[in-house]
């Protein structure tokens, strides 16, 4: 499975473009990847000098805390906070946390402000993003381009920034199941499934990721999501297979291997049962897999 979250050189890249036509819409101020280990890591939103900037910070591993208007939020793996500069908040590494690894993006411009204002007015300031979500993958791509010195033009930087804003809008619009009252154990199991669906995993491995017994996990998962763990895994794999059928020229055998099935025959059997089409029929059609089912985000 394609993933941008592998070993990285930690660094921060700052940009100071003077092109007003891009700066007024959406522009890149900085992008970085870092890991901190000391409680001395402590930033106050009221003491920052970069006025008119907007931060998106996503946790890769470990966890940190952010206090916003007197309320504390844990920002562990898979979660991001979205804040303005200046603002009444403080984010830091608590003494209980061994490390906090994160990737961040700082933007500015009218469209960025509108997006941040919208998200803050309709959602929690700390939001879960699965690792394969479009905003997180684009953030990793922007960091990679920055590290390779491929961002030197203000129009290119603005295009990336505006695209990130649009991906955020799209993700927020499609959020339908990850709510604050979901048990952390179930969220952990779903993130595990999304990261490892291409491997030979099943409900037992998902239960391990949730740190629950198989029996208790299965009951809680069905109660929370409305489907069983094996149904979730099946739908996730079929959804990924459908994406590969429409977006690549991989053979059915290759796609089966990429989504965790032993062979093309088994993938075809499950795909037909789920969608009423064979993989070959689906590839030739313009149907959307969303017409058949929707997964929790």
């Amino acid at each position: 499975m394609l993933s941008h979250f592998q070993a990285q050189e930690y660094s921060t890249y700052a940009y100071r473009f003077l092109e007003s036509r891009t700066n007024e819409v959406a522009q890149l101020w900085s992008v970085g990847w870092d890991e901190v280990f000391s409680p001395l890591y402590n930033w106050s939103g009221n003491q920052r000098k970069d006025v008119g900037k907007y931060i998106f910070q996503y946790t890769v591993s470990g966890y940190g805390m952010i206090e916003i208007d007197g309320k504390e939020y844990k920002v562990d793996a898979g979660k991001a906070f979205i804040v303005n500069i200046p603002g009444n908040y403080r984010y830091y590494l608590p003494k209980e946390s061994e490390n906090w690894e994160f990737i961040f993006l700082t933007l500015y411009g009218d469209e960025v402000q509108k997006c941040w204002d919208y998200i803050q007015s309709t959602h929690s300031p700390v939001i879960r993003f699965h690792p394969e979500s479009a905003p997180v993958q684009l953030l990793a791509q922007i960091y990679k381009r920055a590290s390779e010195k491929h961002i030197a033009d203000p129009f290119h930087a603005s295009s990336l920034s505006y695209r990130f804003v649009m991906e955020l809008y799209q993700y927020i619009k499609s959020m339908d199941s990850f709510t604050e009252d979901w048990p952390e154990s179930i969220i952990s199991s779903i993130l595990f499934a999304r990261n490892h669906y291409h491997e030979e995993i099943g409900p037992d491995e998902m239960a391990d990721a949730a740190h629950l017994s198989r029996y208790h996990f299965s009951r809680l998962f069905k109660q929370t999501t409305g489907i069983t763990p094996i149904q979730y895994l099946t739908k996730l794999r079929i959804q990924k297979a459908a994406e590969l059928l429409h977006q690549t020229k991989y053979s059915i055998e290759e796609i089966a291997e990429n989504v965790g099935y032993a062979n093309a025959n088994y993938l075809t059997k499950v795909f037909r049962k789920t969608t009423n089409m064979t993989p070959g029929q689906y590839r030739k059609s313009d149907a959307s897999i969303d017409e058949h089912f929707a997964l929790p985000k």
Side-chain angles (χ1 to χ4, degrees), residues 67-83:
E67 180 183 327
I68 303 176
D69 295 328
K71 184 176 181 179
E72 287 197 323
Y73 302 84
K74 183 179 181 181
V75 193
D76 51 5
K79 291 180 182 176
F81 65 75
I82 297 174
V83 295

Side-chain angles (χ1 to χ4, degrees), residues 78-237:
K79 291 180 182 176
F81 65 75
I82 297 174
V83 295
N84 305 358
I85 303 175
N88 187 27
Y89 59 85
R90 178 176 69 96
Y91 54 95
Y92 60 96
L93 182 73
K95 294 180 180 179
E96 299 77 18
S97 177
E98 294 182 358
N99 74 299
W100 190 9
E101 182 186 8
F102 51 83
I103 182 170
F104 68 89
L105 188 68
T106 308
L107 304 176
Y108 62 101
D110 292 344
E111 294 305 320
V112 182
Q113 179 182 357
K114 291 176 185 177
C115 179
W116 260 241
D117 288 348
Y118 168 74
I119 293 174
Q120 290 167 350
S121 67
T122 57
H123 292 77
S124 165
V126 175
I127 299 174
R128 186 173 293 279
F129 291 80
H130 63 79
E132 292 297 314
S133 66
V136 172
Q137 291 293 291
L138 178 56
L139 174 54
Q141 291 174 28
I142 293 172
Y143 178 80
K144 186 173 186 293
R145 292 189 189 186
S147 67
E148 295 173 348
K149 313 301 182 188
H150 289 165
I151 302 178
D153 178 275
F155 296 99
H156 180 212
S158 180
S159 175
L160 290 171
S161 302
Y162 186 76
R163 181 182 163 197
F164 184 80
V165 168
M166 292 300 107
E167 294 290 6
L168 271 185
Y169 274 129
Q170 181 66 29
Y171 185 86
I172 294 300
K173 180 181 178 181
S174 66
M175 286 178 63
D176 54 10
S177 295
F178 266 145
T179 57
E180 290 185 355
D181 59 348
W182 272 38
E184 191 69 27
S185 57
I186 298 304
I187 294 174
S188 295
S189 71
I190 285 181
L191 286 174
F192 173 81
R194 288 185 178 275
N195 276 317
H196 298 278
Y197 66 85
H198 59 297
E199 302 172 6
E200 293 184 6
I201 66 166
D204 285 339
E205 288 75 18
M206 291 178 67
D208 288 343
H211 302 293
L212 297 173
S213 69
R214 169 69 184 272
Y215 175 75
H216 183 53
F217 167 71
S218 296
R219 288 188 59 192
L220 184 60
F221 193 96
K222 177 69 179 294
Q223 178 183 340
T224 302
T225 68
I227 58 177
T228 67
I230 194 63
Q231 287 173 329
Y232 179 82
L233 264 177
T234 298
K235 290 185 176 185
L236 176 61
R237 285 167 167 156

Side-chain angles (χ1 to χ4, degrees), residues 2 27 82 152 160 173 223 265-266 286 289 296:
L2 175 65
Q27 190 53 279
I82 297 174
L160 290 171
K173 180 181 178 181
Q223 178 183 340
N265 288 337
Y266 192 67
D286 57 0
I289 204 70

Side-chain angles (χ1 to χ4, degrees), residues 29 45-54 84-87 107-109:
W29 182 258
N46 287 320
Q47 296 177 1
R48 304 288 292 267
K49 296 180 180 179
D50 304 330
V51 176
K53 306 304 184 298
Y54 303 89
N84 305 358
I85 303 175
L107 304 176
Y108 62 101

